[in-house]
Amino acid sequence: MIISASFDTKDPSQWFNRALQYGDGVFETMRVQEGRIPLLQWHMQRLQHSLVKLKLNAFNDIEIDQALAAIKNLGQQSWVMKLVVFRASQKRTYQPLTKDHEWVLSVEPLVVDDVAEPMQLGVADNHLSHQERLAGIKHLSRLEQVMLADELNDQPGCDDLLVLDRLGNIIETTYQNIVLIKDNKLFTPDLSHCGVAGVALSWLSSAEKVRKIDIKVTELMAFDAMMVGNSVRGFRPVGLVKNITAKNDISFATEHPIQDNISRVWLNLFS
């Protein structure tokens, strides 16, 4: 449900906007816990960085206060909140003619699995294209992710899919970032050319050294453990990556001291 917006959401003409027409904007998906957003600092950092990339005016303090004031009325239930910021209306053309923006905030109840079993991943056939100007940001043009996630319908035994770029480097999954552990060190794929720099990954990188690397799927067997995560569901261990070479799977240890510590700190953050 919509709980706040910068425009009259009851006016049908307001929905004929650049978010709907061109995907000309960005969004943040935040977890609300007991009326607060534990990762708000990292969400706002990415939002402001994303607006700069799209040459949109910054989200100012008044707008932030107005948008987030609505969460005080949500009670103690856990929610998923989505903030969409998009270029303000202008005449019909691809060419951006304004830096002004509009925004809308919506929420839905958060449903979390009581038992977070280790995930089983497959490998997507389609690849992410390189676009350095959009790399890292969570823009509204998500058709690539929709097509990649559609492949899950053909791999019913998988919880998610590893997504590669055109060079064969692992980038992310269809909706999560990747963290690998080797010799008690943390690694994550380099997102310089494509992919989303997730807020959960930014949170982790603020507390631990996470090294950015290029890695092929067949090189995964060199790592001791693997996690995937996002800002809503946190980090979960990966137990298996299926059909690496159409005949071999790769198994990972689902318990590791570093992995267990990250999960413990994350739970404390949202308790």
Side-chain angles (χ1 to χ4, degrees):
M1 64 178 176
I2 295 174
I3 60 172
S4 186
S6 62
F7 57 93
D8 182 5
T9 59
K10 295 180 181 180
D11 180 0
S13 67
Q14 295 295 319
W15 288 100
F16 193 65
N17 55 49
R18 289 184 67 88
L20 184 61
Q21 294 184 83
Y22 306 123
D24 186 5
V26 295
F27 68 101
E28 293 291 330
T29 307
M30 298 173 265
R31 179 169 170 174
V32 181
Q33 192 77 19
E34 298 182 358
R36 64 190 181 91
I37 306 171
L39 298 177
L40 179 61
Q41 160 189 354
W42 289 276
H43 281 291
M44 289 299 104
Q45 287 176 359
R46 183 174 66 179
L47 174 62
Q48 302 293 28
H49 173 70
S50 301
L51 294 175
V52 169
K53 280 206 168 187
L54 294 187
K55 298 183 179 180
L56 286 167
N57 292 330
F59 212 66
N60 61 52
D61 292 340
I62 295 176
E63 289 179 304
I64 293 173
D65 291 343
Q66 180 184 352
L68 300 184
I71 72 172
K72 297 177 182 178
N73 301 320
L74 295 177
Q76 300 302 303
Q77 186 175 353
S78 298
W79 300 85
V80 178
M81 185 171 73
K82 186 172 184 177
L83 174 64
V84 179
V85 185
F86 54 92
R87 197 178 309 274
S89 296
Q90 57 172 66
K91 70 178 184 179
R92 185 177 62 84
T93 175
Y94 282 134
Q95 183 182 3
L97 300 176
T98 179
K99 294 184 178 181
D100 294 335
H101 63 250
E102 302 283 2
W103 56 268
V104 61
L105 190 69
S106 61
V107 296
E108 61 181 73
L110 172 64
V111 179
V112 179
D113 298 334
D114 293 331
V115 179
E117 294 292 335
M119 299 195 78
Q120 293 192 17
L121 305 182
V123 181
D125 291 328
N126 290 301
H127 296 164
L128 285 171
S129 56
H130 283 189
Q131 175 47 273
E132 286 75 8
R133 285 190 62 182
L134 297 178
I137 73 174
K138 208 165 186 181
H139 55 80
L140 294 176
S141 305
R142 310 312 296 169
L143 193 55
E144 270 191 320
Q145 282 67 34
V146 170
M147 295 174 68
L148 288 161
D150 180 60
E151 294 186 34
L152 273 169
N153 295 321
D154 300 321
Q155 300 193 45
C158 295
D159 302 305
D160 201 354
L161 300 177
L162 290 177
V163 179
L164 318 181
D165 68 2
R166 58 182 175 79
L167 301 178
N169 292 318
I170 297 172
I171 301 298
E172 56 195 3
T173 76
T174 65
Y175 67 99
Q176 301 175 98
N177 285 122
I178 296 165
V179 177
L180 296 155
I181 303 174
K182 181 180 180 180
D183 300 329
N184 293 321
K185 296 177 182 178
L186 298 176
F187 301 87
T188 195
D190 184 4
L191 304 177
S192 300
H193 302 293
C194 55
V196 174
V199 162
L201 181 60
S202 296
W203 166 80
L204 179 61
S205 300
S206 71
E208 303 285 346
K209 183 175 182 180
V210 183
R211 298 159 177 84
K212 299 176 182 179
I213 60 170
D214 290 331
I215 178 171
K216 310 294 185 184
V217 174
T218 52
E219 296 171 339
L220 286 175
M221 62 187 67
F223 291 87
D224 304 320
M226 181 179 184
M227 297 182 295
V228 291
N230 61 30
S231 61
V232 173
R233 302 194 178 275
F235 291 93
R236 289 177 60 177
V238 173
L240 185 72
V241 177
K242 301 178 67 176
N243 300 323
I244 296 299
T245 61
K247 57 182 178 180
N248 294 323
D249 299 340
I250 293 180
S251 299
F252 293 97
T254 56
E255 295 184 1
H256 188 283
I258 293 179
Q259 190 168 263
D260 296 342
N261 184 62
I262 292 171
S263 296
R264 182 170 56 253
V265 175
W266 180 271
L267 288 175
N268 289 338
L269 185 67
F270 286 91
S271 63

